[in-house]
Amino acid sequence: MREVLGSIHPVLVKHPEYAEAKILKRICEPERQIIFRVPWEDDRGEVHVNRGFRVEFNSALGPYKGGLRFHPSVYLGIVKFLGFEQVFKNALTGLPIGGGKGGSDFDPKGRSDREVMRFCQSFMTELYRHIGEYTDVPAGDVGVGGREIGYLFGQYKRITNRYESGVLTGKGLAYGGAQVRREATGYGAVFFADEMLRAAGHGLDGKRVVVSGSGNVAIYAIEKIQQLGGIAVACSDSSGYVVDEKGIDIDALKQLKETQRGPIRDYTEARRHATFVPHRRVWEVPCEVAIPCATQNEISGADAATLVANGCIAVIEGANMPTTPEGIRVFTEAGVRFAPGKAANAGGVAASALEMQQNATRDSWTFTYSEQRLQQIMQDIHARCFETAEEYGMPGNYIAGANIDGFRRVAEAMLAQGLI
């Protein structure tokens, strides 16, 4: 909240009606917080109990929209901060979607498909009563991919006896999913990066890039970096990172992470010249552009200082708030261009909204057309952030531009709808 509220003072001065209507107090309090238990049975017949969450933060612009995260670190505080960010991220897309977030402290790692299915069915047995295509539309996030969305959707359909394609996004193409949804967050971050660098007179072509993570966002960020002429030389997972000076082989990475679900160290089996560095930070690898795509708070002040010392000129957040406040301060003082996650990471939710649109009209778009729509949305987000920062006397400050524009859009809708 401090990250947002610290940069919107100019808009409050310009619009005193926001303060009079107590928009700040109202926007910081979720409309609804749901916590529930999730009992499930493993393959040995042992019963486990996890905790489920859904924070429906703000519906001023449309139905709550935001991912579900399955990870041991999940608790109410994380879900609330992600939901708060989601409100402004969704507003920046210009699409009619509100903000929410959810998940569980369940860990799908090491679990069989049948165990994941039983957990998802139990989770949806409670969640189903709180969601709907006009109420709340969850998607995937960390630990929730196509497999989990399929199990969740199947249980929702079984309980409600309704085929509501628009109740979940990130679905498989065989049952209402959309082209480019899987690629959207990674592609979107790179589209934003290219626009930001062009605005500074550079462009991504020929740039040396380091990407953290090796999951869905990282994989497709690397793919788009290479398509736009950049060179992604490193990526990571919880065990360490790999450096491939010839550029990460995207086919080998997809095979390792999407098919084999193996650790990043095994990348060197396919690319013998690559180097695996265990238990160290990928940010020590010199680069011109850094795109964190793993998780929150992964770039500390010390990491930021290392990136600056090694010549980094731009940081684009592909994950949700991966840079700590100290890290942001270091980048800002060094003149490094910085794109906050609520803007650069919005490609995933934008594609989810496009999936909802296709579901509502019983339509299906081509990959090329869907990617064009995504690119246009990311270009528009960049333009709004850039122009808003200039409008309020903070040129080049993408944090202020994103926060002010997102806040302004939500505030206007709340004012128009009264005390919601």
Side-chain angles (χ1 to χ4, degrees):
M1 288 182 179
R2 282 194 295 270
E3 190 270 343
V4 172
L5 302 184
S7 59
I8 63 171
H9 178 71
V11 79
L12 296 176
V13 172
K14 189 173 182 179
H15 295 278
E17 65 271 23
Y18 296 166
E20 293 170 8
K22 298 294 189 293
I23 294 294
L24 282 180
K25 287 188 176 181
R26 290 158 56 192
I27 211 168
C28 290
E29 185 69 27
E31 293 175 13
R32 189 174 296 109
Q33 302 177 64
I34 302 155
I35 306 176
F36 53 96
R37 69 180 181 187
V38 188
W40 58 282
E41 190 177 85
D42 67 20
D43 290 340
R44 300 187 305 275
E46 182 179 349
V47 174
H48 301 260
V49 179
N50 287 94
R51 184 171 289 170
F53 305 91
R54 188 67 180 174
V55 173
E56 297 174 333
F57 220 106
N58 191 290
S59 60
L61 295 177
Y64 308 106
K65 186 82 191 79
L68 298 171
R69 175 176 294 195
F70 292 170
H71 191 272
S73 66
V74 170
Y75 72 105
L76 184 59
I78 280 182
V79 178
K80 287 176 72 176
F81 112 69
L82 291 170
F84 184 71
E85 272 287 285
Q86 198 77 41
V87 173
F88 304 102
K89 180 193 302 184
N90 294 1
L92 283 170
T93 68
L95 300 170
I97 44 179
K101 206 74 177 182
S104 173
D105 55 3
F106 170 75
D107 189 357
K109 271 190 177 179
R111 293 295 179 183
S112 70
D113 287 349
R114 305 287 291 183
E115 288 174 327
V116 173
M117 180 184 71
R118 286 192 288 271
F119 173 81
C120 289
Q121 289 174 339
S122 180
F123 184 86
M124 183 55 78
T125 298
E126 173 59 31
L127 185 67
Y128 88 94
R129 68 189 79 243
H130 305 292
I131 64 175
E133 58 185 326
Y134 300 111
T135 306
D136 185 352
V137 183
D141 197 317
V142 175
V144 179
R147 173 183 62 174
E148 289 77 15
I149 292 293
Y151 294 149
L152 291 165
F153 182 74
Q155 184 70 354
Y156 180 88
K157 184 165 66 74
R158 171 191 289 167
I159 294 171
T160 63
N161 194 33
R162 294 192 301 269
Y163 201 104
E164 295 180 6
S165 298
V167 74
L168 287 166
T169 58
K171 301 181 296 297
L173 294 177
Y175 63 101
Q179 299 275 10
V180 187
R181 176 59 190 90
R182 179 175 59 175
E183 298 87 353
T185 308
Y187 276 20
V190 178
F191 285 142
F192 194 100
D194 193 47
E195 289 295 307
M196 187 170 76
L197 289 167
R198 287 180 186 278
H202 299 286
L204 192 60
D205 188 31
K207 294 292 187 296
R208 180 182 170 92
V209 187
V210 165
V211 176
S212 68
S214 51
N216 182 73
V217 180
I219 287 171
Y220 291 101
I222 291 169
E223 182 171 90
K224 185 54 65 177
I225 288 165
Q226 294 176 348
Q227 290 175 5
L228 295 182
I231 308 167
V233 297
C235 62
S236 63
D237 66 10
S238 58
S239 66
Y241 67 84
V242 292
V243 178
D244 188 338
E245 293 293 345
K246 295 181 180 179
I248 297 293
D249 186 313
I250 193 64
D251 292 329
L253 185 62
K254 286 182 179 180
Q255 175 66 25
L256 174 63
K257 287 296 184 177
E258 295 184 339
T259 303
Q260 300 173 5
R261 299 179 185 267
I264 197 65
R265 65 173 177 269
D266 291 349
Y267 175 87
T268 57
E269 295 179 6
R271 301 275 282 183
R272 296 291 183 182
H273 62 272
T275 303
F276 171 66
V277 180
H279 310 302
R280 291 185 66 86
R281 314 279 283 177
V282 72
W283 309 120
E284 65 189 16
V285 179
C287 64
E288 296 168 276
V289 178
I291 307 183
C293 295
T295 190
Q296 67 270 8
N297 299 323
E298 59 170 301
I299 299 183
S300 66
D303 295 324
T306 300
L307 284 164
V308 170
N310 285 335
C312 182
I313 62 171
V315 177
I316 297 88
E317 292 191 324
N320 289 301
M321 293 189 78
T323 312
T324 64
E326 178 62 19
I328 294 173
R329 186 188 63 77
V330 171
F331 291 138
T332 302
E333 292 179 355
V336 173
R337 296 223 160 206
F338 181 83
K342 64 171 60 67
N345 171 264
V349 75
S352 283
L354 298 180
E355 182 176 333
M356 292 166 64
Q357 184 176 337
Q358 292 169 77
N359 293 156
T361 58
R362 302 293 192 269
D363 200 358
S364 180
W365 302 342
T366 65
F367 189 97
T368 300
Y369 178 71
S370 300
E371 185 178 6
Q372 289 172 349
R373 288 289 306 271
L374 172 65
Q375 184 173 12
Q376 185 60 58
I377 290 170
M378 296 309 298
Q379 289 172 343
D380 290 345
I381 293 173
H382 174 270
R384 283 196 293 272
C385 294
F386 185 85
E387 292 165 6
T388 301
E390 292 211 328
E391 176 188 348
Y392 282 87
M394 294 176 277
N397 189 332
Y398 286 88
I399 297 175
N403 287 336
I404 290 173
D405 189 69
F407 174 81
R408 190 169 51 184
R409 288 170 180 272
V410 179
E412 287 295 329
M414 293 176 71
L415 274 179
Q417 296 168 25
L419 291 175
I420 62 168

